[in-house]
């Protein structure tokens, strides 16, 4: 077991985390980034990415994240494959514990733990993920211009996704398991008034239909009536699951102020959290846009704010002797 000391500890290895590492390293803060269980975040399960600046042609999600990782390492970010299981943010320096028993002591901390889309949990949904099944209309809607798509859900996200897709697709069918939406009335009015959007009430997706040769692709969905149990097939070129996201913020419960839904509360226009010296970037705090470029921008903001904080605040003189007196100290700065 080892104790790692750093000016800034970054938890999470998505666009927000890697960008924070790049900016923090270039500011000579010698950051340590702990990857967690899914280095690269949601983009590691994304195929073509056409909306990230700097690429004239589509870049594969895993390739984009690998380039971010290499860039962060190149400028000096120390990247460790570990999972943080607990944090103590009650005083500085902050202390985090890794799954393998290592201790991380940091003057500032950037939470970039991301979020995960909720899925239906169907084997066929997993099989066609990235081949017609998506959880992000803004990310993937471009690929369905002039095609028919279905959207699953009944909240604001589902209605907003359907309205966005209606600008691209030839037809959008919203499938909801109940007989009314939970979305805001103004959004419902826009949806019901749109000539390219249809709604199927009281149905759930039983199976995602598709072909496997020559190229794997979705061809439709099999629905089940929640009342009668009868099934029917609806043709579609794409399926968008819009039943919400779960931010990966359980680690910070009771430590940071969280919003309803579990997102980390930040001061508007900043990445500052309820604890001085702790910042949050990316999908763990931002639930409106959910875009890689936005997460990257927030990672930049968090690193710059951490740098400013360190310039204005000397390290807390209260030394946590039980953590700092370990026989092996990695990444220490003096």
């Amino acid at each position: 077991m080892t104790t790692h000391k750093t000016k800034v500890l970054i938890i999470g290895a998505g666009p927000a985390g890697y960008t924070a590492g790049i900016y923090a390293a270039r500011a000579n803060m010698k950051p340590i980034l702990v990857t967690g269980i899914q280095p690269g975040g949601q983009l590691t399960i994304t195929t073509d990415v056409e909306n990230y600046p700097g690429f004239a042609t589509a870049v594969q999600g895993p390739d984009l994240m690998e380039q971010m990782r290499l860039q962060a390492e190149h400028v000096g970010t120390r990247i460790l494959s570990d999972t943080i299981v607990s944090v103590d943010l009650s005083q500085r320096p902050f202390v985090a514990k890794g799954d393998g028993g290592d201790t991380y002591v940091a003057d500032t901390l950037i939470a970039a733990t991301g979020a995960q889309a909720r899925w239906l949990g169907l084997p066929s949904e997993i099989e066609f993920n990235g081949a017609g099944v998506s959880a992000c209309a803004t990310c993937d809607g471009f690929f369905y211009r002039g095609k028919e798509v279905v959207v699953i859900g009944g909240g604001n996200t589902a209605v907003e996704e359907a309205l966005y897709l209606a600008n691209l697709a030839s037809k959008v069918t919203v499938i909801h398991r109940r007989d009314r939406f939970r979305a805001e009335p103004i959004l419902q009015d826009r949806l019901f008034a749109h000539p390219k959007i249809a709604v199927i009430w009281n149905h759930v997706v039983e199976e995602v239909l598709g072909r496997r040769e020559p190229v794997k692709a979705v061809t439709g969905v099999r629905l089940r009536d929640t009342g009668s149990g009868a099934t029917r097939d609806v043709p579609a070129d794409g399926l968008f699951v819009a039943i919400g996201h779960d931010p990966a913020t359980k680690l910070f419960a009771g430590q940071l102020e969280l919003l309803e839904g579990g997102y980390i509360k930040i001061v508007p226009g900043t990445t500052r959290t309820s604890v001085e010296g702790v910042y949050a970037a990316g999908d763990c705090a931002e639930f409106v846009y959910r875009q890689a470029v936005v997460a990257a921008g927030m990672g930049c903001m968090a690193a710059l704010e951490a740098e400013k904080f360190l310039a204005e605040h000397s390290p807390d003189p209260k030394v946590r002797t039980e953590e700092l007196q370990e026989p092996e100290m990695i990444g220490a700065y003096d």
Side-chain angles (χ1 to χ4, degrees), residues 13-329:
Y18 284 140
T19 305
I22 292 167
Y23 276 80
R26 296 185 74 252
N28 201 31
M29 290 193 286
K30 298 181 173 62
I32 290 177
L33 184 154
V34 180
T35 64
I37 59 175
Q38 188 182 15
Q42 296 183 73
L43 280 178
T44 58
I45 57 172
T46 303
T47 52
D48 290 349
V49 177
E50 287 193 333
N51 56 4
Y52 197 88
F55 297 89
T57 58
V59 59
Q60 295 293 299
D63 293 338
L64 176 60
M65 298 318 301
E66 176 66 5
Q67 288 300 310
M68 286 192 187
R69 182 188 69 81
L70 291 173
Q71 184 178 3
E73 286 184 318
H74 175 72
V75 294
T77 303
R78 188 157 178 262
I79 299 177
L80 299 179
S81 297
D82 197 357
T83 300
I84 300 299
V85 295
S86 68
V87 293
D88 182 355
L89 307 179
S90 61
Q91 65 178 17
R92 294 177 55 232
F94 306 122
V95 175
K97 297 287 187 178
D99 183 55
D102 283 8
T103 298
Y104 301 85
V105 181
D107 291 326
T108 61
L109 184 145
I110 297 174
T113 48
Q116 293 290 334
R118 295 176 191 157
W119 298 97
L120 302 173
L122 302 172
S124 54
E125 173 192 48
I126 297 172
E127 180 183 2
F128 288 99
N129 199 313
V133 174
S134 172
C136 180
T138 308
C139 308
D140 300 324
F142 182 80
F143 301 112
Y144 298 92
R145 292 169 297 171
K147 298 182 179 180
E148 296 187 7
V149 299
V150 296
V151 175
I152 311 301
N156 282 353
T157 300
V159 174
E160 289 170 349
E161 298 269 275
L163 288 167
Y164 177 85
L165 289 165
N167 293 321
L168 301 167
S170 61
K171 180 180 180 182
V172 179
T173 302
V174 181
I175 300 165
H176 188 38
R177 59 182 177 175
R178 297 190 176 91
D179 61 356
R180 66 188 66 184
F181 289 134
R182 293 176 287 104
E184 296 174 5
I186 189 170
L187 292 175
Q188 294 190 45
D189 290 344
R190 293 172 186 168
L191 183 139
F192 295 137
H194 203 294
K196 291 166 64 175
I197 301 177
V199 180
I200 297 178
W201 304 106
N202 301 310
H203 279 74
V204 295
V205 177
E206 191 100 305
E207 182 182 0
V208 180
L209 308 175
R211 63 173 183 269
R212 292 159 181 82
E213 299 292 343
V215 178
K216 186 181 292 186
V218 167
T219 59
V221 292
R222 180 159 295 151
L223 306 182
R224 174 174 56 83
D225 190 307
T226 57
S228 67
T231 60
R232 58 188 280 199
D233 292 351
V234 174
D237 300 293
L239 166 66
F240 290 84
V241 181
I243 56 177
H245 288 72
D246 293 314
T249 57
K250 290 182 180 179
L251 178 67
F252 304 105
Q255 302 271 341
L256 299 175
E257 187 175 352
L258 303 180
L259 298 171
E260 183 179 356
Y263 293 91
I264 298 173
K265 183 178 181 179
I266 55 176
V267 177
T270 77
T271 61
R272 298 198 306 271
T273 70
S274 57
V275 173
E276 193 175 42
V278 178
Y279 307 90
D283 289 1
C284 65
E286 198 288 304
F287 51 87
V288 176
Y289 301 104
R290 297 194 184 97
Q291 296 297 300
V293 68
V294 175
M298 292 182 72
C300 164
M301 291 170 60
L304 294 177
E305 289 181 276
E307 179 188 15
K308 182 178 180 181
F309 176 85
L310 289 172
E312 297 174 349
H313 299 77
S314 61
D316 195 311
K318 298 176 182 179
V319 178
R320 300 186 175 200
T321 56
E322 68 275 16
E323 282 88 10
L324 300 184
Q325 288 180 349
E326 296 286 342
E328 185 179 2
M329 184 78 75

